[in-house]
Amino acid sequence: MALQEFKDIVHRCFRCGYCKFTTNYDDFNCPAYKKFRLESYSTGGKMWLVYGLMKGELDWSPHLSEIMYSCTTCANCIENCRFEKFNKIFVDVIEAARSEAFNKGLTPAKLLAFGEHARREHNPYMEGHADRLNWIAGGFQNPPDPEVAFFVGCTASYREQQLARSTADVMRKAGVKFAVYQDEWCCGSPLLRTGQRDAALEMANHNIDLFEGLGTKKVVTACAGCYRTLKMDYPKLTGKDVPFEVLHVSELVNRLIDEGRIKFGAEPPQRVKVTYHDPCHLGRHSNLYDAPREVLKKIPGIDVIEMAKNKGNASCCGAGGGVKSGNPEWAVEMAGDRVKEALETGAGTLVTTCPFCERNFRDAISKNSDDVDLLDLVELVNERMQ
Ligand code: SF4
Ligand code: SF4
């Protein structure tokens, strides 16, 4: 939606500030406020800046743009806003504001660079489209009439290839007839979050046309960002019904365990303590909290210990909303804070369900020399599967 379409609702933010606290009011959950400690960087502050822009009392400037881009779009503020009529739209407003910043030429250069590259090579990682399936050693032959299409996503295709391989291994061992397509493009999430809507729309239309043309009825993804974008954003962005079901791999794996198609080996001699990080795109944005936890509980020998901040109140890993590219040091700082929260549980293993979270956590763990194992849920399932 264009920024002006929020005109009748933006003024309803009272700047009360509840949304930036955790539930016990002695800690901040808005990473932007926690970092910058200025009201203008908080949700309420940003809303009032937007209101000022709408009323013509403020003009766009590089500094105003920098404030709008200082947000991971984690949606913790949405979770904690006290006002029903207002509380669903904040991230949409920030994305619309960024779109206006983009039209004014005020999007940070690093974010523009990945947007331009995505239009040429269909990924934001400055990689070649021709290399998209390099993660499959020895190539892959799609079966006739596949049950599902595996939407690999850019992060797993180019940076977290062990996740792509583990997902493919799990489906293969469970006897799922799946296909992967060289012609998959970026889901568009990094473009949409950073205000590059036309490019995001190009990606969305291409991917919808691809799967529609192939007659695909079910698309599975191992990336929380791709999941949210395909499932929640494509209908809004394109104005069309998406003609296929979108599943996160945790939902698929949960079903496959219940159907007896995934079987685990014997319980290991020592139980393993695991804590689970809810990716913002899977949790707050898509309301998918249970499937990953159910899968963890079905793996023999695993004890799940929740972090103090979990589910709707989970801290952000810090990578989203263009922050990993635009402000990488801040992104790693946020990941470091979340890893500390994981360590406080006493668990030796941190599990997530998003390759972008995993990548940011790995950077923080390496920087801080934290003693914790880091795994995606599918990697853990693959390790333990018979
Ligand atoms: S989306 Fe997250 S970072 Fe952005 S204002 Fe809300 S709580 Fe803060
Ligand atoms: S977004 Fe909601 S909780 Fe936050 S300042 Fe505005 S009205 Fe208050």
Side-chain angles (χ1 to χ4, degrees), residues 143 158 191 342 355:
Y158 295 106
L191 310 166

Side-chain angles (χ1 to χ4, degrees), residues 29-32 41-43 46 70-77 90-91:
N29 61 22
C30 169
Y41 286 78
S42 74
T43 317
K46 285 183 173 105
S70 297
C71 164
T72 60
T73 65
C74 68
N76 214 323
C77 49
F90 176 69
V91 173

Side-chain angles (χ1 to χ4, degrees), residues 36-191:
F36 298 98
R37 297 296 170 110
L38 289 168
E39 203 55 34
S40 48
Y41 286 78
S42 74
T43 317
K46 285 183 173 105
M47 286 291 111
W48 279 99
L49 292 174
V50 165
Y51 191 45
L53 282 169
M54 283 177 173
K55 287 177 71 183
E57 292 169 353
L58 279 176
D59 285 328
W60 275 103
S61 68
H63 183 47
L64 186 50
S65 169
E66 183 265 317
I67 293 171
M68 290 300 160
Y69 279 97
S70 297
C71 164
T72 60
T73 65
C74 68
N76 214 323
C77 49
I78 290 178
E79 196 72 26
N80 287 293
C81 174
R82 298 298 190 269
F83 301 97
E84 286 264 315
K85 287 223 156 92
F86 182 64
N87 68 5
K88 291 289 174 219
I89 58 144
F90 176 69
V91 173
D92 289 345
V93 174
I94 204 84
E95 287 176 8
R98 289 173 175 191
S99 188
E100 207 166 283
F102 175 81
N103 293 335
K104 303 260 175 210
L106 289 168
T107 295
K110 283 182 188 168
L111 309 185
L112 282 180
F114 76 58
E116 281 160 15
H117 184 82
R119 284 190 122 144
R120 283 193 307 273
E121 293 291 330
H122 322 311
N123 73 83
Y125 284 113
M126 305 297 162
E127 300 287 351
H129 180 74
D131 297 330
R132 195 164 185 101
L133 290 185
N134 281 4
W135 58 272
I136 314 175
F140 181 79
Q141 188 73 44
N142 284 336
D145 302 321
E147 228 177 296
V148 298
F150 173 25
F151 189 92
V152 187
C154 302
T155 308
S157 294
Y158 295 106
R159 293 290 180 271
E160 297 292 327
Q161 295 182 333
Q162 77 288 350
L163 174 59
R165 283 192 282 270
S166 297
T167 309
D169 279 355
V170 166
M171 288 197 283
R172 186 178 45 75
K173 288 190 274 184
V176 177
K177 276 169 64 181
F178 68 96
V180 287
Y181 297 105
Q182 168 79 45
D183 208 19
E184 165 194 307
W185 286 9
C186 172
C187 69
S189 176
L191 310 166

Side-chain angles (χ1 to χ4, degrees), residues 69 71-72 98 111 114 190 193-194 319-327 356:
Y69 279 97
C71 164
T72 60
R98 289 173 175 191
L111 309 185
F114 76 58
R193 311 297 154 232
T194 56
V323 173
K324 184 74 180 160
S325 299
N327 194 338
F356 209 42

Side-chain angles (χ1 to χ4, degrees), residues 98-349:
R98 289 173 175 191
S99 188
E100 207 166 283
F102 175 81
N103 293 335
K104 303 260 175 210
L106 289 168
T107 295
K110 283 182 188 168
L111 309 185
L112 282 180
F114 76 58
E116 281 160 15
H117 184 82
R119 284 190 122 144
R120 283 193 307 273
E121 293 291 330
H122 322 311
N123 73 83
Y125 284 113
M126 305 297 162
E127 300 287 351
H129 180 74
D131 297 330
R132 195 164 185 101
L133 290 185
N134 281 4
W135 58 272
I136 314 175
F140 181 79
Q141 188 73 44
N142 284 336
D145 302 321
E147 228 177 296
V148 298
F150 173 25
F151 189 92
V152 187
C154 302
T155 308
S157 294
Y158 295 106
R159 293 290 180 271
E160 297 292 327
Q161 295 182 333
Q162 77 288 350
L163 174 59
R165 283 192 282 270
S166 297
T167 309
D169 279 355
V170 166
M171 288 197 283
R172 186 178 45 75
K173 288 190 274 184
V176 177
K177 276 169 64 181
F178 68 96
V180 287
Y181 297 105
Q182 168 79 45
D183 208 19
E184 165 194 307
W185 286 9
C186 172
C187 69
S189 176
L191 310 166
L192 202 50
R193 311 297 154 232
T194 56
Q196 305 183 66
R197 273 176 185 265
D198 289 350
L201 184 60
E202 252 177 61
M203 306 295 139
N205 281 330
H206 170 84
N207 288 322
I208 292 171
D209 291 349
L210 171 71
F211 292 125
E212 196 167 18
L214 290 161
T216 302
K217 292 281 170 272
K218 213 178 267 181
V219 173
V220 66
T221 178
C223 173
C226 296
Y227 175 79
R228 179 231 168 148
T229 306
L230 266 64
K231 190 166 178 132
M232 321 292 281
D233 292 317
Y234 277 13
K236 284 191 276 176
L237 186 63
T238 63
K240 297 185 243 178
D241 285 338
V242 174
F244 45 82
E245 183 189 3
V246 182
L247 283 176
H248 185 260
V249 69
S250 59
E251 298 174 290
L252 177 71
V253 166
N254 202 21
R255 279 188 208 171
L256 292 170
I257 297 171
D258 290 347
E259 288 166 11
R261 291 167 75 181
I262 289 181
K263 290 195 173 57
F264 295 108
E267 187 164 327
Q270 278 207 315
R271 296 187 70 78
V272 180
K273 289 181 183 165
V274 163
T275 192
Y276 173 68
H277 167 76
D278 292 275
C280 305
H281 286 301
L282 203 64
R284 281 185 287 270
H285 286 291
S286 306
N287 201 29
L288 210 169
Y289 296 110
D290 294 339
R293 289 176 167 81
E294 285 171 20
V295 170
L296 280 173
K297 284 177 188 154
K298 289 170 189 171
I299 303 174
I302 295 235
D303 292 325
V304 183
I305 312 173
E306 290 287 354
M307 284 184 253
K309 295 182 193 172
N310 60 63
K311 298 188 177 172
N313 204 34
S315 303
C316 175
C317 82
V323 173
K324 184 74 180 160
S325 299
N327 194 338
E329 282 176 17
W330 179 33
V332 172
E333 193 180 308
M334 287 182 266
D337 289 347
R338 185 58 169 162
V339 171
K340 271 196 199 82
E341 290 172 20
L343 289 169
E344 279 163 14
T345 64
T349 304

Side-chain angles (χ1 to χ4, degrees), residues 12-19 43-44 80-83 86:
R12 294 187 190 192
C13 171
F14 295 103
R15 289 174 294 157
C16 60
Y18 276 121
C19 56
T43 317
N80 287 293
C81 174
R82 298 298 190 269
F83 301 97
F86 182 64

